[in-house]
Amino acid sequence: MSATPSTSQILRSLRPSLEAIGLVRRRDSFYTMDTAPGFAFCVGLGSTVGGHPKGVRGVWPVVGVRHDPTERLLAQFRALRTPLMHTVGTPLGYLTPMKQFREWELSTSQQYDDARYDLASAIQEWGMPFFRAYDSLESLLQALDDGLSLDAEHTRPVVLLQLGRIDDALAAASALLAGLPPEPTEYTESVREWVARFNAEVHSRVSEEREVR
């Protein structure tokens, strides 16, 4: 009797199908495709065990756009920030005509070949247009307004800074301080430190531009 496949084995079984549409494996659950300078199309593979037969997983792709300069600045401003796989993104099911969360039942056997093909085809048909819609700083800003980021409050001022909208960037950063309780906590201090680092970067850039002129 064959051993029950693990989650890692099931996710690895998707590799040929995903590489066939141009994605590059970074780890079992994460693939990317570099396109516009600084931008990458990202696919993360989530999985669930419950509600599925033994040896089968429900796999749900999250498709997104990663803008490396934005992510580097975010890491610079908050040293303890957990890196995100993407700057903006959404579970793939919401981009399909069904417009709802969806899992693909998968295992490692050949009987799931059609499911692997269907998942890869769905990424190509519905995920890649999502990427093309948000492959510029201007469109990233719109994506933040549309609720497509887990970290919109911090990401918005960083995108505005790169667009050269200095006053808007400073205002967005200051908005992070609004409503913070006066009593210092670990969270409030981390927010204040983030804003201080951001403001210092803005003023540094403004000073450099003035010197160039």
Coordinates of all heavy atoms in Angstrom, one line a residue, residues 138-184:
E138 N 1.0 53.9 -10.2 CA -0.3 54.5 -10.1 C -1.4 53.5 -9.9 O -2.4 53.7 -9.1 CB -0.6 55.3 -11.5 CG 0.3 56.5 -11.7 CD 1.7 56.2 -12.2 OE1 2.0 55.0 -12.4 OE2 2.4 57.1 -12.4
S139 N -1.3 52.3 -10.6 CA -2.4 51.3 -10.4 C -2.2 50.6 -9.1 O -3.2 50.2 -8.5 CB -2.3 50.3 -11.6 OG -1.0 49.7 -11.6
L140 N -1.0 50.5 -8.5 CA -0.8 50.0 -7.2 C -1.6 50.8 -6.2 O -2.2 50.3 -5.2 CB 0.6 49.9 -6.8 CG 1.4 48.7 -7.2 CD1 2.8 48.8 -6.6 CD2 0.8 47.4 -6.8
L141 N -1.5 52.1 -6.3 CA -2.2 53.0 -5.4 C -3.7 52.8 -5.5 O -4.4 52.7 -4.4 CB -1.9 54.5 -5.8 CG -2.3 55.5 -4.8 CD1 -1.5 55.3 -3.5 CD2 -2.0 56.9 -5.3
Q142 N -4.3 52.5 -6.7 CA -5.7 52.2 -6.8 C -6.0 50.9 -6.1 O -7.0 50.7 -5.5 CB -6.1 52.1 -8.3 CG -7.5 51.8 -8.6 CD -8.5 52.9 -8.0 OE1 -8.3 54.1 -8.2 NE2 -9.4 52.4 -7.2
A143 N -5.1 49.9 -6.3 CA -5.3 48.6 -5.6 C -5.4 48.7 -4.1 O -6.2 48.0 -3.5 CB -4.2 47.6 -6.0
L144 N -4.6 49.6 -3.6 CA -4.6 49.9 -2.1 C -6.0 50.4 -1.7 O -6.6 50.0 -0.7 CB -3.5 50.8 -1.7 CG -2.1 50.4 -1.9 CD1 -1.1 51.5 -1.5 CD2 -1.8 49.1 -1.2
D145 N -6.5 51.3 -2.5 CA -7.8 51.9 -2.3 C -8.9 50.8 -2.4 O -10.0 51.0 -1.8 CB -8.1 53.1 -3.2 CG -7.2 54.3 -2.9 OD1 -6.7 54.4 -1.8 OD2 -7.0 55.1 -3.8
D146 N -8.7 49.8 -3.2 CA -9.7 48.8 -3.5 C -9.6 47.7 -2.4 O -10.3 46.7 -2.6 CB -9.5 48.2 -4.9 CG -9.8 49.1 -6.0 OD1 -10.5 50.1 -5.7 OD2 -9.4 48.9 -7.1
G147 N -8.7 47.8 -1.4 CA -8.7 46.8 -0.4 C -7.9 45.6 -0.7 O -8.2 44.5 -0.2
L148 N -6.9 45.7 -1.6 CA -6.2 44.5 -2.1 C -4.8 44.3 -1.4 O -4.0 43.6 -1.9 CB -6.0 44.6 -3.6 CG -7.3 44.5 -4.4 CD1 -7.0 44.8 -5.9 CD2 -8.0 43.1 -4.2
S149 N -4.6 45.0 -0.3 CA -3.4 44.8 0.5 C -3.7 44.5 1.9 O -4.6 45.0 2.5 CB -2.6 46.1 0.4 OG -1.5 46.1 1.3
L150 N -2.8 43.7 2.5 CA -2.9 43.4 4.0 C -2.2 44.5 4.8 O -2.3 44.5 6.0 CB -2.3 42.0 4.3 CG -3.0 40.8 3.6 CD1 -2.2 39.6 3.9 CD2 -4.4 40.7 4.1
D151 N -1.5 45.4 4.1 CA -0.7 46.4 4.8 C -0.9 47.8 4.2 O 0.1 48.5 4.0 CB 0.7 46.0 4.8 CG 1.6 46.7 5.9 OD1 1.0 47.3 6.8 OD2 2.8 46.8 5.7
A152 N -2.1 48.1 3.8 CA -2.4 49.3 3.0 C -1.9 50.6 3.7 O -1.4 51.5 3.1 CB -3.8 49.4 2.6
E153 N -2.1 50.6 5.1 CA -1.8 51.9 5.8 C -0.4 52.2 5.7 O 0.0 53.4 5.6 CB -2.2 51.7 7.3 CG -3.7 51.5 7.5 CD -4.2 50.1 7.3 OE1 -3.4 49.2 7.0 OE2 -5.4 49.9 7.4
H154 N 0.5 51.2 5.7 CA 2.0 51.5 5.6 C 2.4 51.6 4.1 O 3.3 52.4 3.8 CB 2.8 50.4 6.3 CG 2.6 50.4 7.8 ND1 1.7 49.7 8.4 CD2 3.4 51.1 8.7 CE1 1.8 49.9 9.7 NE2 2.8 50.7 9.9
T155 N 1.8 50.8 3.3 CA 2.2 50.8 1.9 C 1.8 52.1 1.1 O 2.6 52.6 0.3 CB 1.5 49.6 1.2 OG1 1.8 48.4 1.9 CG2 2.1 49.5 -0.3
R156 N 0.7 52.7 1.5 CA 0.2 53.9 0.7 C 1.2 55.0 0.8 O 1.5 55.6 -0.3 CB -1.2 54.3 1.3 CG -1.8 55.5 0.5 CD -3.2 55.8 1.0 NE -4.1 54.8 0.5 CZ -4.6 53.9 1.3 NH1 -4.3 53.8 2.6 NH2 -5.5 53.0 0.8
P157 N 1.7 55.4 2.0 CA 2.7 56.5 1.9 C 4.0 56.2 1.2 O 4.6 57.1 0.5 CB 3.0 56.8 3.4 CG 2.5 55.6 4.1 CD 1.4 55.0 3.3
V158 N 4.4 54.9 1.2 CA 5.6 54.5 0.4 C 5.4 54.6 -1.1 O 6.2 55.1 -1.8 CB 6.0 53.1 0.8 CG1 7.1 52.6 0.0 CG2 6.4 53.0 2.3
V159 N 4.2 54.2 -1.6 CA 3.9 54.4 -3.0 C 3.8 55.8 -3.4 O 4.3 56.3 -4.4 CB 2.6 53.6 -3.3 CG1 2.2 53.9 -4.8 CG2 2.8 52.1 -3.1
L160 N 3.1 56.6 -2.6 CA 3.0 58.1 -2.8 C 4.4 58.7 -2.9 O 4.6 59.6 -3.7 CB 2.1 58.7 -1.8 CG 0.7 58.4 -1.8 CD1 0.0 58.9 -0.6 CD2 0.0 59.1 -3.0
L161 N 5.3 58.3 -2.0 CA 6.7 58.9 -2.0 C 7.3 58.6 -3.3 O 8.0 59.5 -3.9 CB 7.5 58.3 -0.9 CG 9.0 58.6 -0.8 CD1 9.2 60.1 -0.7 CD2 9.6 57.8 0.3
Q162 N 7.2 57.3 -3.8 CA 7.9 57.0 -5.1 C 7.2 57.7 -6.3 O 7.9 57.9 -7.3 CB 7.8 55.5 -5.3 CG 8.6 54.7 -4.2 CD 8.4 53.2 -4.3 OE1 9.2 52.5 -5.0 NE2 7.4 52.7 -3.6
L163 N 6.0 58.1 -6.1 CA 5.3 58.8 -7.2 C 5.7 60.3 -7.2 O 5.3 61.1 -8.1 CB 3.8 58.7 -7.1 CG 3.2 57.4 -7.5 CD1 1.8 57.2 -7.1 CD2 3.3 57.2 -9.1
G164 N 6.4 60.7 -6.1 CA 6.8 62.1 -6.0 C 5.8 63.0 -5.4 O 5.9 64.2 -5.4
R165 N 4.7 62.4 -4.9 CA 3.7 63.2 -4.2 C 4.0 63.4 -2.7 O 3.4 62.7 -1.9 CB 2.3 62.5 -4.4 CG 1.9 62.5 -5.9 CD 0.7 61.5 -6.2 NE -0.4 61.8 -5.3 CZ -1.6 61.2 -5.4 NH1 -1.7 60.2 -6.3 NH2 -2.6 61.5 -4.6
I166 N 4.9 64.2 -2.5 CA 5.6 64.4 -1.2 C 4.5 64.8 -0.1 O 4.5 64.1 1.0 CB 6.7 65.4 -1.2 CG1 7.8 64.9 -2.2 CG2 7.3 65.5 0.2 CD1 8.4 63.6 -2.0
D167 N 3.8 65.8 -0.4 CA 2.8 66.2 0.7 C 1.8 65.2 1.0 O 1.4 64.9 2.1 CB 2.1 67.5 0.2 CG 3.0 68.7 0.1 OD1 4.0 68.7 0.8 OD2 2.6 69.7 -0.6
D168 N 1.3 64.5 -0.1 CA 0.3 63.4 0.2 C 1.0 62.2 0.9 O 0.3 61.6 1.8 CB -0.2 62.8 -1.2 CG -1.1 63.8 -1.9 OD1 -1.7 64.7 -1.2 OD2 -1.2 63.7 -3.1
A169 N 2.3 62.0 0.6 CA 3.0 60.9 1.3 C 3.1 61.2 2.8 O 2.9 60.3 3.7 CB 4.3 60.7 0.7
L170 N 3.5 62.4 3.1 CA 3.6 62.8 4.5 C 2.3 62.8 5.3 O 2.2 62.4 6.4 CB 4.2 64.2 4.6 CG 5.7 64.3 4.2 CD1 6.1 65.8 4.1 CD2 6.6 63.6 5.2
A171 N 1.2 63.2 4.6 CA -0.1 63.2 5.2 C -0.5 61.8 5.5 O -1.1 61.5 6.5 CB -1.1 63.9 4.3
A172 N -0.3 60.9 4.5 CA -0.7 59.5 4.7 C 0.1 58.9 5.9 O -0.4 58.0 6.6 CB -0.4 58.7 3.4
A173 N 1.4 59.2 6.0 CA 2.2 58.7 7.1 C 1.6 59.3 8.4 O 1.5 58.5 9.5 CB 3.6 59.0 6.9
S174 N 1.3 60.6 8.5 CA 0.8 61.2 9.7 C -0.5 60.6 10.1 O -0.8 60.5 11.3 CB 0.6 62.7 9.5 OG 1.9 63.3 9.3
A175 N -1.3 60.1 9.1 CA -2.6 59.5 9.4 C -2.4 58.2 10.3 O -3.4 57.8 11.0 CB -3.3 59.2 8.1
L176 N -1.3 57.6 10.2 CA -1.0 56.4 11.0 C -1.0 56.7 12.5 O -1.3 55.9 13.3 CB 0.3 55.8 10.6 CG 0.4 55.1 9.3 CD1 1.9 54.8 8.9 CD2 -0.4 53.8 9.3
L177 N -0.7 58.0 12.8 CA -0.6 58.4 14.2 C -2.0 58.8 14.8 O -2.2 58.9 16.0 CB 0.3 59.6 14.4 CG 1.8 59.4 13.9 CD1 2.6 60.7 14.0 CD2 2.4 58.3 14.7
A178 N -2.9 59.1 13.9 CA -4.2 59.5 14.3 C -4.9 58.4 15.1 O -5.0 57.3 14.7 CB -5.1 59.9 13.1
G179 N -5.4 58.8 16.3 CA -6.2 57.8 17.1 C -5.4 57.0 18.0 O -5.9 56.1 18.7
L180 N -4.0 57.1 17.9 CA -3.2 56.3 18.8 C -3.4 56.8 20.3 O -3.5 58.0 20.5 CB -1.7 56.4 18.5 CG -1.2 55.7 17.2 CD1 0.3 56.0 17.0 CD2 -1.5 54.2 17.3
P181 N -3.6 55.9 21.2 CA -3.7 56.3 22.6 C -2.5 57.0 23.1 O -1.3 56.7 22.7 CB -4.0 55.0 23.3 CG -3.4 53.9 22.5 CD -3.5 54.4 21.0
P182 N -2.6 57.9 24.0 CA -1.4 58.7 24.5 C -0.5 57.8 25.3 O 0.7 58.0 25.4 CB -2.0 59.8 25.4 CG -3.4 59.3 25.8 CD -3.9 58.4 24.6
E183 N -1.0 56.7 25.9 CA -0.2 55.9 26.7 C 0.7 55.0 25.8 O 0.2 54.4 24.9 CB -1.0 54.9 27.6 CG -1.9 55.7 28.6 CD -3.2 56.1 27.9 OE1 -3.5 55.7 26.8 OE2 -3.9 56.9 28.6
P184 N 2.0 55.0 26.0 CA 2.9 54.3 25.1 C 2.8 52.8 25.4 O 2.7 52.3 26.5 CB 4.3 54.8 25.5 CG 4.2 55.3 27.0 CD 2.8 55.8 27.0

